[in-house]
Amino acid sequence: MNILGISAYYHDSAAALIQDGVVVAAAQEERFTRKKQDAGFPRAAALFCLDAAHSAEIDHIVFYDKPLLKFERLLETYLSFAPKGFRSFRAGLPVWAKEKLFLRSLLTKELAALPGCTPASQDLLFSEHHLSHAASAFYPSPFSEAVVLTMDGVGEWATTSVAIGRGRELRIVRDLVFPHSLGLLYSAFTSYAGFRVNSGEYKLMGLAPYGEPRFAKKIYEHLVDVKPDGTFRLNQRYFNYCTGLSMTNARFQQLFGQPPRLPESPLEDFHADIAASIQQVTEDIILRMTRALAKETGQRNLCLAGGVALNCVANGKILADGAFAHVWIQPASGDAGGALGAALAAYHLHAEAPRSVHHPDAMFASALGPEYSPAEIEAALLAAGARSVFVKDDLLFDETAEALAAGEVVGWFQGRMEFGPRALGNRSILGDPRRADMQKKLNLKIKFRESFRPFAPSVLAEEATEWFDMHAPTSPYMLTVTKVAEQRRVVSAQHAAAHHGMKDQHLVRSTIPAVTHTDFSSRVQTVQAGQNPRYHRLLKAFSEITDCPMLINTSFNVRNEPIVCTPSEAFACFMATDMDRLVIGNFVLKKSEQNRALAVNYASNYEMD
């Protein structure tokens, strides 16, 4: 049975294909259109998935939420706040009246335009938003049964939901509903700090360790009422997302004593303190929830999905807390992953097909996107005017490791593109974590982004515990934060605590300073030979040269550009930045050998995030 899942029309559109319950292909539309967080119908992503089906008949096409329920929320929210909410209601109504109320006919039309895809009405199914998220987390997990916690901004009505999964069964047992949303609370502070909602939350999380949570008490007193089990209510007097076109209002600004930060304006200690405060509150709410769920259900396994599950600092706290023995997080936890979850829900719940449990999981290292043959790579590089050399495997990994050890920044393009927001060694930019200047260089000259933002290490799984305080055996999807091991630190905890502000962001704290954040934290990716053999082999070669079994791993893109998908996009990014070397498959390109006339001011093509 072949099932195509679709998420679209809000943000992070995507398509995913499963065959007899096995995930075959999945990709975000932004990777093909080059439009960050593309919300349109995922035509290119769907075509990629259909191609992966090899002309097999598609039995069902599943949309990841129920638009009529979402419209019900829009309407009831307006009526609840009327006439105050009329401006917001008026802004959204034309889109609903034109498209979203008639989504079945719109989807049928879009799908019929795809070659080889002519869905009958009965073949088009609709899943609920949080059920799609929960299915994306439970069914690929290595657990036969688990609690599934989904947290995001809002689906149709639900903002937080709890499901129980057993075998092929998955049932949502309770939820919190709009407007009380942990995701929207965090996004309100993201907006207030001058970052873009739905993409800047990563920045707020990275900014938090530079601050003091001095506003946490004020948040509890005025904004959110939290119960011992983690359920909560937000005081809508301070927010504007129900009735206006912004996240917060003047009362919110008065509470914290400053107007919202303008995008791209300087960051101050105040903004770091704001970030630290909401991060602490978020962690507290989530930990109350997970502890209560573990006690109530007696379950030892937890699955996470939804946008809040991308808060890897909070994820690390869940692991360290130990209320659940095992935690698995969907690597595409946001709305893109809803496409995959919708397809899996249709297979196991609608078609009632049995489920098999796979170890370490059923996501195939999230390498589910397009890949390119040597002939395709060579043709793309020739067309772009690139100068490359084909290097066989017996030399490729050692030569690349030596270049990295010498301080080069390397674009690393191998195999299938990753599904989800993280580059995991297939579409990555790599550097030497031992170099104190590497974090600043990557931020300012490669990524064109703020200098405070931390980078993650990819470490050989078998060496991870020697370098980090691991709370789980592996962390393959870069979704949890832990601490650099004590023996790798070069300053005391007291000294670091006294020098953790924005002005001290480049203080060397460990022997791997480029991946050590101001509080000794690090967002670790463990790499296993069985999951990503080529990346593991490169890390092994680097370790043999340097005695350091890890590399900096950041996504292959510049600020606000989607991660590169094709060889030609990789070459364009390489030429537009200060990367020294590009390795695509076995083709090696050195910057010093390229025609500099091919370089363009490419970062200016992308709106700042």
Side-chain angles (χ1 to χ4, degrees):
M1 180 179 288
N2 296 293
I3 301 178
L4 180 69
I6 297 286
S7 64
Y9 303 125
Y10 298 98
H11 59 87
D12 293 310
S13 294
L17 176 75
I18 64 169
Q19 292 183 322
D20 297 327
V22 177
V23 185
V24 172
Q28 296 110 295
E29 184 70 2
E30 66 167 23
R31 306 291 174 85
F32 303 94
T33 63
R34 313 310 299 157
K35 179 182 178 183
K36 187 75 170 174
Q37 295 184 302
D38 195 336
F41 177 78
R43 187 178 196 286
L47 282 171
F48 159 68
C49 289
L50 290 171
D51 185 60
H54 301 297
S55 301
E57 182 180 347
I58 302 298
D59 297 281
H60 294 292
I61 298 168
V62 198
F63 192 69
Y64 80 127
D65 73 4
K66 295 191 173 182
L68 290 180
L69 284 178
K70 195 162 280 190
F71 182 71
E72 176 188 86
R73 171 180 43 94
L74 182 72
L75 186 60
E76 287 196 23
T77 300
Y78 165 62
L79 293 174
S80 297
F81 288 90
K84 193 176 180 183
F86 180 70
R87 184 182 176 204
S88 176
F89 182 73
R90 181 179 62 186
L93 190 60
V95 177
W96 280 94
K98 183 180 178 182
E99 295 179 353
K100 294 180 181 178
L101 278 177
F102 308 99
L103 197 60
R104 179 179 288 275
S105 60
L106 176 62
L107 285 170
T108 301
K109 180 181 177 181
E110 292 279 14
L111 290 163
L114 300 178
C117 185
T118 54
S121 178
Q122 67 271 17
D123 296 335
L124 187 55
L125 306 173
F126 292 83
S127 175
E128 289 193 5
H129 188 100
H130 271 229
L131 180 61
S132 296
H133 277 314
S136 78
F138 176 61
Y139 290 125
S141 79
F143 310 137
S144 58
E145 58 180 72
V147 173
V148 188
L149 179 60
T150 295
M151 302 167 286
D152 62 5
V154 61
E156 294 90 0
W157 275 103
T159 65
T160 300
S161 67
V162 177
I164 302 296
R166 290 189 178 93
R168 73 161 187 84
E169 295 293 339
L170 179 65
R171 183 169 60 93
I172 292 178
V173 295
R174 74 167 72 94
D175 57 27
L176 293 174
V177 298
F178 184 86
H180 307 293
S181 167
L182 185 58
L184 291 176
L185 175 65
Y186 203 87
S187 290
F189 280 85
T190 299
S191 175
Y192 182 62
F195 305 130
R196 184 183 295 175
V197 171
N198 289 329
S199 65
E201 286 79 3
Y202 297 123
K203 298 185 185 183
L204 197 70
M205 183 178 65
L207 182 62
Y210 294 110
E212 300 290 344
R214 60 188 177 96
F215 298 110
K217 183 179 179 182
K218 190 169 286 191
I219 294 171
Y220 285 122
E221 289 176 346
H222 296 276
L223 300 186
V224 58
D225 176 26
V226 187
K227 303 304 181 188
D229 66 354
T231 56
F232 59 90
R233 292 182 65 84
L234 300 186
N235 185 349
Q236 292 301 309
R237 294 178 68 246
Y238 292 90
F239 301 96
N240 201 37
Y241 56 79
C242 284
T243 59
L245 302 177
S246 60
M247 294 300 298
T248 61
N249 58 26
R251 190 177 285 112
F252 185 101
Q253 298 164 28
Q254 291 166 4
L255 179 66
F256 294 105
Q258 286 199 26
R261 172 178 166 262
L262 294 174
E264 307 303 314
S265 63
L267 283 162
E268 302 171 0
D269 288 341
F270 169 80
H271 303 114
D273 293 345
I274 283 288
S277 301
I278 188 57
Q279 180 65 32
Q280 184 183 88
V281 170
T282 298
E283 292 167 13
D284 175 52
I285 292 172
I286 293 173
L287 286 173
R288 291 194 199 193
M289 281 188 191
T290 53
R291 288 167 183 165
L293 288 171
K295 184 176 181 180
E296 174 191 339
T297 65
Q299 271 286 348
R300 302 299 288 149
N301 303 322
L302 175 68
C303 297
L304 297 174
V308 177
L310 293 171
N311 190 312
C312 49
V313 178
N315 294 343
K317 297 290 177 67
I318 294 170
L319 278 168
D321 186 60
F324 286 92
H326 310 287
V327 180
W328 193 85
I329 308 157
Q330 165 55 239
S333 280
D335 274 13
L340 175 60
L344 289 167
Y347 183 72
H348 294 294
L349 299 178
H350 176 76
E352 299 184 349
R355 172 180 178 241
S356 298
V357 177
H358 298 273
H359 294 277
D361 58 46
M363 284 297 292
F364 302 101
S366 215
L368 298 167
E371 64 180 330
Y372 299 87
S373 68
E376 289 172 321
I377 294 169
E378 184 176 30
L381 293 176
L382 285 172
R387 296 166 183 164
S388 65
V389 175
F390 186 91
V391 179
K392 293 182 179 180
D393 279 359
D394 56 355
L395 293 176
L396 178 72
F397 299 98
D398 289 340
E399 286 186 2
T400 306
E402 288 168 0
L404 286 160
E408 290 191 20
V409 175
V410 176
W412 183 252
F413 184 112
Q414 303 288 323
R416 299 186 69 175
M417 181 180 69
E418 301 92 338
F419 180 53
R422 305 293 187 210
L424 301 170
N426 292 10
R427 302 288 187 276
S428 294
I429 298 173
L430 308 176
D432 185 346
R434 303 169 303 157
R435 294 178 176 269
D437 63 341
M438 188 58 73
Q439 185 250 6
K440 185 175 181 180
K441 178 181 179 181
L442 285 171
N443 269 327
L444 299 181
K445 295 191 174 184
I446 309 295
K447 304 285 283 188
F448 305 117
R449 70 184 197 183
E450 302 91 342
S451 63
F452 75 86
R453 293 174 65 178
F455 286 103
S458 293
V459 59
L460 291 171
E462 58 269 28
E463 299 285 344
T465 56
E466 296 295 318
W467 293 80
F468 302 99
D469 297 333
M470 302 293 291
H471 298 292
T474 60
S475 176
Y477 298 118
M478 205 187 285
L479 286 171
T480 58
V481 162
T482 187
K483 299 284 186 179
V484 173
E486 190 86 35
Q487 65 268 28
R488 306 297 176 180
R489 302 177 188 181
V490 297
V491 297
S492 68
Q494 294 77 13
H495 182 81
H499 298 86
H500 77 285
M502 294 291 290
K503 68 179 185 302
D504 299 309
Q505 61 184 283
H506 298 301
L507 173 69
V508 173
R509 291 171 168 79
S510 78
T511 58
I512 43 171
V515 293
T516 304
H517 208 10
T518 186
D519 59 350
F520 294 114
S521 65
S522 200
R523 178 164 45 92
V524 176
Q525 177 202 3
T526 56
V527 181
Q528 294 174 284
Q531 288 187 293
N532 194 330
R534 291 182 72 77
Y535 194 31
H536 186 276
R537 191 168 170 183
L538 177 64
L539 290 167
K540 191 79 173 172
F542 186 78
S543 180
E544 288 170 356
I545 295 170
T546 64
D547 291 324
C548 178
M550 76 190 76
L551 291 167
I552 298 174
N553 175 13
T554 188
S555 55
F556 201 145
N557 63 331
V558 299
R559 183 181 178 186
N560 212 38
E561 178 204 19
I563 294 173
V564 299
C565 177
T566 68
S568 58
E569 290 158 5
F571 178 70
C573 187
F574 169 66
M575 290 301 295
T577 66
D578 282 353
M579 272 185 270
D580 302 291
R581 181 179 297 239
L582 174 60
V583 183
I584 306 184
N586 288 82
F587 292 88
V588 176
L589 298 80
K590 297 179 182 179
K591 181 64 66 64
S592 59
E593 296 174 355
Q594 305 306 311
N595 179 359
R596 292 306 178 112
L598 297 175
V600 295
N601 184 10
Y602 151 108
S604 64
N605 295 335
Y606 297 97
E607 183 182 353
M608 291 293 96
D609 59 352

